[in-house]
């Protein structure tokens, strides 16, 4: 485990809504700098932690606010889904009297044995009617900022591989288990070119501008719930004090993490990645004095105009009379429980669409920016069938059985990153660029 933050260094800046509304970015930067200044010699994993709250957000509603302090909120969606699947299976065995067994091991398209978490179904239910392949899919009730509505989206549903589908709604008050009718296919939709590889999606959308606080009563009265009731039958509501959940909550507390109390910890990966991208671009234009410009125009494979978040690269860097297309990819420290090691993974990299690749590391001590050597291509790996659709990934792994994140970083992860990329800069949380960009992002999202 990582060393715990020494209490005298655990500095937390909390301000009321009125005070933060009066603070400019300059004042926030001075606040951050003042907190960090006395402890600059402290090791990076013991750095002071600064948490900011902002009231000048465009909306008081956000997913992060609704799930703040809720069990499992700090876990990754994949890890959370694995635990929820175990809960659903145990409920069917203990409370519905089902006889279940593990699915038979199958082979991938590469003739490799599938891992347990990669099987086509989660369990096989056996009764007098025969055997049924059951898959459990979970989704979080999220706030769609672009459309101002609550929504529920289940992903990667492969109908041809299952006989029964259990939908698990991850809500602030507990878990809602539903049995989805595969024949009706209400809410089912394709995912473009990805459908053949990752499967379909199932979505239920709420009313526009329904900004009511997310609670079970408001959920039952919402269009999300009414849409879910059409193709699915409600099984049970498991509150957080239910016996089946207690064991998984204890297991979630054992998950190794180095980001407890770190800024942006509760932010979703997509929003955090956008924040890291904004910081990298600001560093490009401010500290490196490049003239930068956001891309615009272009059409998708469907012939639709690309949005700002759908461009093939992140920004253009003007170097003399030439243009350099820059792509920024971010990653965080993730503990691989099966292999017992720390990993850094940068996803969705399409080499032919940019000229310069920046790797942005979200770390407890700040933001690390590296310029990747595209010619060496160290750590570069394919992603199977998804390679042609989503691109490749870059992966760096730490030493096995080393749970101390700082030791894993200094002994193996950083040397491997240095061999593949050149270090541009480390921006601590007190840096003016970081403070400015994060303050804008926090105020915009309400995280």
């Amino acid at each position: 485990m990582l060393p715990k933050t020494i209490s005298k260094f655990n500095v937390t800046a909390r301000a009321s809504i009125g005070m933060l509304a009066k603070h400019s970015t300059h004042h926030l930067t001075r606040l951050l700098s003042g907190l960090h200044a006395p402890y600059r010699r402290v090791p990076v994993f013991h750095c002071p932690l600064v948490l900011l709250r902002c009231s000048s957000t465009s909306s008081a509603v956000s997913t992060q606010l609704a799930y703040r302090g809720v069990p499992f909120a700090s876990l990754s969606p994949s890890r959370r889904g694995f635990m929820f699947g175990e809960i659903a299976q145990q409920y069917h065995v203990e409370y519905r009297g089902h006889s279940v067994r593990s699915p038979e091991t199958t082979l991938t398209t590469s003739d490799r044995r599938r891992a347990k978490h990669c099987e086509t179904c989660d369990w096989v239910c056996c009764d007098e009617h025969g055997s049924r392949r059951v898959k459990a899919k979970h989704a979080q009730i999220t706030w769609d900022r672009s459309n101002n509505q609550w929504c529920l989206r289940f992903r990667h549903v492969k109908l041809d591989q299952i006989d029964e589908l259990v939908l698990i709604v991850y809500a602030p008050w507990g878990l809602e288990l539903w049995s989805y009718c595969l024949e009706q296919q209400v809410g089912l939709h394709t995912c473009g070119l990805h459908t053949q590889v990752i499967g379909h999606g199932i979505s239920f959308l709420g009313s526009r501008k329904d900004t009511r606080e997310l609670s079970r009563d408001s959920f039952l009265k919402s269009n999300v719930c009414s849409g879910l009731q059409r193709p699915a039958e409600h099984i049970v509501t498991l509150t957080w004090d239910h016996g089946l959940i207690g064991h998984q909550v204890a297991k979630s507390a054992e998950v190794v993490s180095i980001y407890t109390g770190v800024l942006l910890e509760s932010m979703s990966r997509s929003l955090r990645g956008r924040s890291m991208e904004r910081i990298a671009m600001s560093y490009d234009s401010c500290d490196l004095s490049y003239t930068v410009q956001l891309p615009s125009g272009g059409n998708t494979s469907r012939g639709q105009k690309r949005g700002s978040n759908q461009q093939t690269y992140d920004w253009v860097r003007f170097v003399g009379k030439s243009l350099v297309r820059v792509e920024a990819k971010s990653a965080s420290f993730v503990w691989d429980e099966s292999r017992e090691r720390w990993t850094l993974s940068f996803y969705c990299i399409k080499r032919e669409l940019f000229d310069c690749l920046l790797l942005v590391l979200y770390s407890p001590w700040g933001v690390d920016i590296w310029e990747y050597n595209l010619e060496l291509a160290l750590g570069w790996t394919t992603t199977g069938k998804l390679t042609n659709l989503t691109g490749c990934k870059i992966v760096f792994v730490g030493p096995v059985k080393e749970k101390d994140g700082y030791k894993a970083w200094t002994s193996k992860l950083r040397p491997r990153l240095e061999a593949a990329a050149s270090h541009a800069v480390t921006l601590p949380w007190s840096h003016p660029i970081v403070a400015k960009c994060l303050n804008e992002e926090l105020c915009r999202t309400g995280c």
Side-chain angles (χ1 to χ4, degrees):
M1 296 291 289
L2 290 170
K4 294 183 179 179
T5 307
I6 302 174
S7 59
K8 68 176 181 179
F9 294 141
N10 188 15
V11 182
T12 304
R14 298 186 181 275
S16 65
I17 290 178
M19 291 177 63
L20 271 175
K22 297 177 183 178
H23 274 87
S24 64
T25 302
H26 174 67
H27 291 120
L28 287 169
T29 304
R30 292 184 61 186
L31 172 64
L32 286 164
S33 303
L35 286 170
H36 278 256
Y39 311 116
R40 284 175 183 165
R41 295 182 180 273
V42 180
V44 289
F45 279 87
H46 292 177
C47 63
L49 309 177
V50 182
L51 306 178
L52 298 178
R53 296 281 301 277
C54 184
S55 64
S56 57
T57 177
S58 57
S59 173
V61 183
S62 77
T63 308
Q64 284 71 35
L65 288 177
Y67 284 84
R68 182 165 290 164
V70 175
F72 308 104
S74 61
L75 300 183
S76 65
S78 58
R79 180 63 181 164
R80 197 160 54 211
F82 182 75
M83 290 185 169
F84 292 168
E86 288 186 345
I87 293 174
Q89 181 178 347
Q90 290 175 357
Y91 177 81
H92 280 73
V93 172
E94 296 183 17
Y95 291 86
R96 308 191 80 183
H98 290 183
S99 175
V100 303
R101 62 176 173 82
S102 300
E104 296 179 359
T105 303
T106 57
L107 301 178
T108 65
T109 54
S110 304
D111 291 331
R112 295 181 179 179
R113 186 176 179 179
R114 290 186 186 274
K116 181 181 178 181
H117 63 280
C118 296
E119 290 295 345
T120 54
C121 66
D122 291 324
W123 69 87
V124 177
C125 182
C126 305
D127 55 21
E128 64 275 8
H129 301 293
S131 300
R132 301 189 310 278
R133 299 167 298 173
V134 183
K135 187 69 177 179
K137 287 291 180 182
H138 91 285
Q140 185 176 9
I141 306 173
T142 56
W143 177 253
D144 186 340
R145 290 183 295 109
S146 59
N147 295 313
N148 290 328
Q149 61 185 169
W150 290 104
C151 58
L152 196 59
R153 293 188 172 97
F154 301 89
R155 307 180 189 276
H156 304 174
V157 180
K158 299 182 179 180
L159 301 178
D160 59 328
Q161 298 179 353
I162 58 176
D163 304 307
E164 185 177 331
L165 178 61
V166 177
L167 301 181
I168 305 173
V169 179
Y170 173 45
W173 56 89
L175 300 181
E176 303 272 1
L177 272 59
W178 297 73
S179 178
Y180 182 81
C181 180
L182 296 175
E183 288 75 20
Q184 293 189 26
Q185 298 188 358
V186 176
L188 190 75
H189 59 84
T190 58
C191 300
L193 297 174
H194 296 66
T195 305
Q196 286 187 337
V197 181
I198 66 173
H200 292 73
I202 300 177
S203 297
F204 304 101
L205 307 178
S207 303
R208 294 285 183 93
K209 299 182 179 180
D210 182 2
T211 59
R212 288 178 296 179
E213 182 180 354
L214 186 57
S215 64
R216 190 164 192 274
D217 290 337
S218 64
F219 172 74
L220 293 176
K221 298 175 183 177
S222 68
N223 286 354
V224 176
C225 185
S226 60
L228 182 60
Q229 288 173 339
R230 290 173 59 196
E233 178 185 356
H234 185 252
I235 299 175
V236 69
T237 298
L238 301 177
T239 56
W240 298 126
D241 57 356
H242 195 279
L244 290 178
I245 296 181
H247 175 63
Q248 296 295 343
V249 171
K251 286 177 63 176
S252 69
E254 298 173 0
V255 175
V256 181
S257 175
I258 66 175
Y259 293 102
T260 304
V262 178
L263 201 65
L264 308 185
E265 174 205 10
S266 61
M267 185 178 284
S268 67
R269 288 188 295 180
S270 60
L271 290 179
R272 189 165 59 227
R274 194 177 305 169
S275 301
M276 298 297 105
E277 174 191 319
R278 178 179 295 191
I279 291 171
M281 186 175 67
S282 297
Y283 172 76
D284 232 23
S285 60
C286 296
D287 278 25
L288 298 184
S289 300
Y290 285 120
T291 300
V292 301
Q293 180 179 322
L294 292 173
S296 60
N299 295 325
T300 65
S301 58
R302 296 180 177 180
Q304 300 174 338
K305 186 177 180 180
R306 291 185 182 275
S308 59
N309 63 331
Q310 295 176 316
Q311 297 298 322
T312 55
Y313 53 92
D314 292 325
W315 68 88
V316 175
R317 178 194 290 171
F318 292 87
V319 182
K321 295 183 179 180
S322 62
L323 304 180
V324 178
R325 299 170 300 172
V326 181
E327 177 74 7
K329 291 295 181 181
S330 63
S332 59
F333 291 94
V334 176
W335 175 253
D336 186 341
E337 188 170 335
S338 61
R339 295 178 174 85
E340 296 186 86
R341 63 188 182 186
W342 289 99
T343 62
L344 293 174
S345 301
F346 303 85
Y347 293 96
C348 303
I349 303 172
K350 298 182 178 181
R351 172 66 186 88
E352 68 279 4
L353 300 180
F354 54 83
D355 307 306
C356 175
L357 176 61
L358 297 182
L359 303 181
V360 187
L361 175 59
Y362 165 62
S363 69
W365 57 87
V367 180
D368 256 5
I369 302 177
W370 301 71
E371 185 165 342
Y372 185 73
N373 190 324
L374 293 169
E375 294 182 358
L376 292 177
L378 298 179
W380 194 282
T381 62
T382 57
T383 54
K385 290 183 177 180
L386 284 174
T387 303
N388 293 332
L389 298 174
T390 62
C392 298
K393 63 180 179 179
I394 298 174
V395 180
F396 303 103
V397 298
V400 177
K401 297 187 181 297
E402 179 55 79
K403 289 190 175 182
D404 190 311
Y406 179 68
K407 290 182 179 179
W409 167 249
T410 55
S411 65
K412 206 165 187 179
L413 286 172
R414 184 181 177 98
R416 289 189 171 181
L417 197 52
E418 287 175 338
S422 58
H423 184 244
V425 68
T426 297
L427 302 176
W429 297 117
S430 60
H431 196 281
I433 290 178
V434 177
K436 179 178 181 297
C437 293
L438 293 189
N439 184 52
E440 292 174 354
E441 190 69 23
L442 290 172
C443 290
R444 186 173 66 87
T445 61
C447 297

